[in-house]
Amino acid sequence: MPRARVSWRYVAADRRDLRIDLMRGIALVMMVVAHTEVMSIFNILTWERFGLTTGAEGFVILAGFMLGMLNRQRLHKAVLLTVGWTLWRRAWKIYLVNIIIILSVLLLSKITLINTFEITHFVDRFSGNSWSLFPTTPQIKETWFNIILFLQIGPHQTQILGLYVFLLLMSPFFLALLHYRKTPWLIAGAALVYGLYQVTPFRLTASEFEFAFPLMAWQFIYVLGMCCGWYKEELLSLARTGAGKVTVTFMVICALVMMFIAQNHTNPFMPPGLLMHVISPADFNMIYHTWAAKNGLGPLRVLNDFCLMVTVYLLLTWCWTPLYRLTGWFLIPLGQHSLYTFILHVYVVLLVSQVVHFDLWHQAWLVNTLVHSVALGILWLMAKYDVAGRWIPN
């Protein structure tokens, strides 16, 4: 009898898409490694090595994707007002989490035995310059109230939570346009705001997150992610057509080209022997800072984000079995507890900083890889066994 053909393709066991969970797990690993600022083997694998993209973009796109996909189903059973109210309640919950993190860091900074420098300052590791993210002079009570209330202070490791608050507040409006089939207007409006920021960048709010995640730029990838989630089934069907296959092939090629470009990075902390030097530093920096800006989300970076995510999703679809056995046990629990893990990671970073001096110039590969492994291991164990899950939201 002929031997049965073994398939590695992903097969859905239930309605939850484990490929999305695994991708969120990858984004979380990238984030924890980036925020635990020592140079290890993990950096070599995650620091803009697969393209000019970071874990933060993956988080925002996947958040929009899941929100669009799930709420299209909910709007078959509930009215838009009910769904919108649920989103506003979630925005309020994340806002409260942000406030609690700020207050907890303020309290911890009063304990002389705890060194909170790494979560109360932003450090430019190249120059060594640092900026305090919390007031360094006495403040009157009204000032403290305002800077906390408007999220004007806080650890840079959790700034993106402020972005989520504003995106969730706007999400009912986005969903209304999707629900009433005004998708072209939604995309056009988001693109217009994004384009305006690229030409004349300015901040819409006074919140701290705007320095790293300007709302006018980052709303664009969130909206595109939401549209992809809303039309997930239609896009999957379209991908099986001739034109769809051509489009997907083009996106995979774009992802590979961007991966090649990324290997020519001018990252001063990366060992030169691990980088390619086909593209001159001047040309790479021009591409990077003009078209693939990190904080402002240059257009080439946005293209890279979506092309890479489609490519990874396809890879997970076709080669699910070996990749799941190799990494699923670790990445999926993190991905399924993404908010929970994100909240806890700032305290893990604080814990690590008590015993390890953060310095990206010092390349103690074995020791630093162990440091990252321990930090990730702590978060994985807590997510796996849902430690304090009753009090920490997810």
Side-chain angles (χ1 to χ4, degrees):
M1 247 180 113
R3 196 171 181 179
R5 182 172 174 268
V6 177
S7 175
W8 285 354
R9 285 185 65 90
Y10 177 82
V11 178
D14 52 36
R15 294 177 62 186
R16 189 176 188 110
D17 192 336
L18 295 180
R19 291 167 294 185
I20 300 295
D21 290 329
L22 196 145
M23 290 171 70
R24 286 198 292 199
I26 294 172
L28 275 164
V29 169
M30 294 172 70
M31 174 202 67
V32 174
V33 170
H35 290 166
T36 310
E37 297 185 69
V38 294
M39 196 67 182
S40 80
I41 294 173
F42 286 97
N43 297 91
I44 294 174
L45 299 174
T46 63
W47 198 342
E48 293 190 322
R49 297 293 279 174
F50 296 101
L52 302 180
T53 181
T54 67
E57 292 124 77
F59 268 130
V60 174
I61 292 169
L62 288 174
F65 180 89
M66 294 302 296
L67 192 145
M69 182 182 70
L70 295 174
N71 283 291
R72 183 177 184 178
Q73 301 168 7
R74 288 170 183 160
L75 284 170
H76 289 305
K77 303 175 183 178
V79 297
L80 183 61
L81 183 62
T82 302
V83 172
W85 178 248
T86 302
L87 293 173
W88 285 336
R89 285 177 57 193
R90 183 158 183 80
W92 173 249
K93 179 184 289 187
I94 293 178
Y95 174 76
L96 288 180
V97 166
N98 217 329
I99 296 294
I100 291 170
I101 290 173
I102 293 171
L103 293 175
S104 68
V105 171
L106 284 171
L107 290 174
L108 288 170
S109 65
K110 301 299 181 183
I111 303 175
T112 55
L113 294 176
I114 299 177
N115 179 7
T116 58
F117 180 86
E118 294 297 344
I119 62 172
T120 56
H121 292 73
F122 176 78
V123 182
D124 179 349
R125 299 295 172 186
F126 180 77
S127 65
N129 295 329
S130 63
W131 294 267
S132 177
L133 302 175
F134 287 76
T136 56
T137 57
Q139 304 287 316
I140 60 174
K141 291 181 180 179
E142 290 80 2
T143 303
W144 275 113
F145 180 79
N146 287 333
I147 60 178
I148 294 174
L149 187 67
F150 295 108
L151 305 180
Q152 294 174 345
I153 61 174
H156 72 88
Q157 293 89 349
T158 57
Q159 285 177 348
I160 200 171
L161 289 178
L163 174 67
Y164 278 128
V165 171
F166 283 89
L167 291 176
L168 284 169
L169 289 174
M170 295 186 293
S171 290
F173 172 69
F174 299 155
L175 286 175
L177 291 174
L178 288 167
H179 184 62
Y180 293 112
R181 301 182 181 180
K182 304 294 183 182
T183 307
W185 289 97
L186 173 59
I187 295 176
L192 180 63
V193 173
Y194 169 81
L196 182 61
Y197 181 83
Q198 301 304 312
V199 176
T200 56
F202 61 91
R203 297 187 294 155
L204 290 179
T205 75
S207 297
E208 184 187 52
F209 76 87
E210 288 264 23
F211 290 101
F213 309 103
L215 182 58
M216 290 180 66
W218 286 71
Q219 57 79 31
F220 184 50
I221 61 172
Y222 179 79
V223 167
L224 291 180
M226 185 183 292
C227 292
C228 291
W230 183 274
Y231 292 106
K232 178 188 176 184
E233 297 304 322
E234 290 87 343
L235 289 173
L236 288 175
S237 297
L238 182 62
R240 299 185 185 99
T241 66
K245 290 177 181 178
V246 171
T247 302
V248 170
T249 301
F250 171 77
M251 295 184 76
V252 172
I253 292 172
C254 280
L256 294 175
V257 169
M258 292 304 299
M259 187 182 298
F260 166 76
I261 293 174
Q263 306 317 303
N264 295 269
H265 212 297
T266 56
N267 184 343
F269 304 108
M270 196 70 69
L274 298 176
L275 297 171
M276 297 176 64
H277 305 282
V278 178
I279 302 174
S280 71
D283 288 339
F284 177 85
N285 287 334
M286 184 278 295
I287 294 171
Y288 190 87
H289 296 294
T290 305
W291 300 103
K294 183 178 177 181
N295 293 344
L297 288 183
L300 198 58
R301 183 175 286 265
V302 173
L303 175 66
N304 194 175
D305 288 334
F306 283 90
C307 290
L308 181 60
M309 294 190 77
V310 167
T311 301
V312 173
Y313 192 81
L314 285 174
L315 181 64
L316 291 174
T317 300
W318 294 335
C319 303
W320 175 254
T321 302
L323 292 175
Y324 173 75
R325 290 174 179 171
L326 181 65
T327 65
W329 62 274
F330 182 78
L331 294 174
I332 289 176
L334 292 177
Q336 291 179 343
H337 295 78
S338 54
L339 178 59
Y340 169 94
T341 305
F342 186 86
I343 293 168
L344 286 175
H345 99 279
V346 68
Y347 300 103
V348 171
V349 169
L350 174 63
L351 177 64
V352 172
S353 71
Q354 304 307 296
V355 293
V356 176
H357 176 63
F358 285 5
D359 180 4
L360 294 174
W361 291 113
H362 183 56
Q363 297 178 350
W365 296 106
L366 291 178
V367 173
N368 291 342
T369 300
L370 179 62
V371 169
H372 278 147
S373 298
V374 169
L376 289 166
I378 291 171
L379 290 167
W380 178 79
L381 285 170
M382 296 188 75
K384 179 74 173 177
Y385 297 103
D386 201 25
V387 178
R390 182 177 178 182
W391 298 281
I392 304 172
N394 187 38

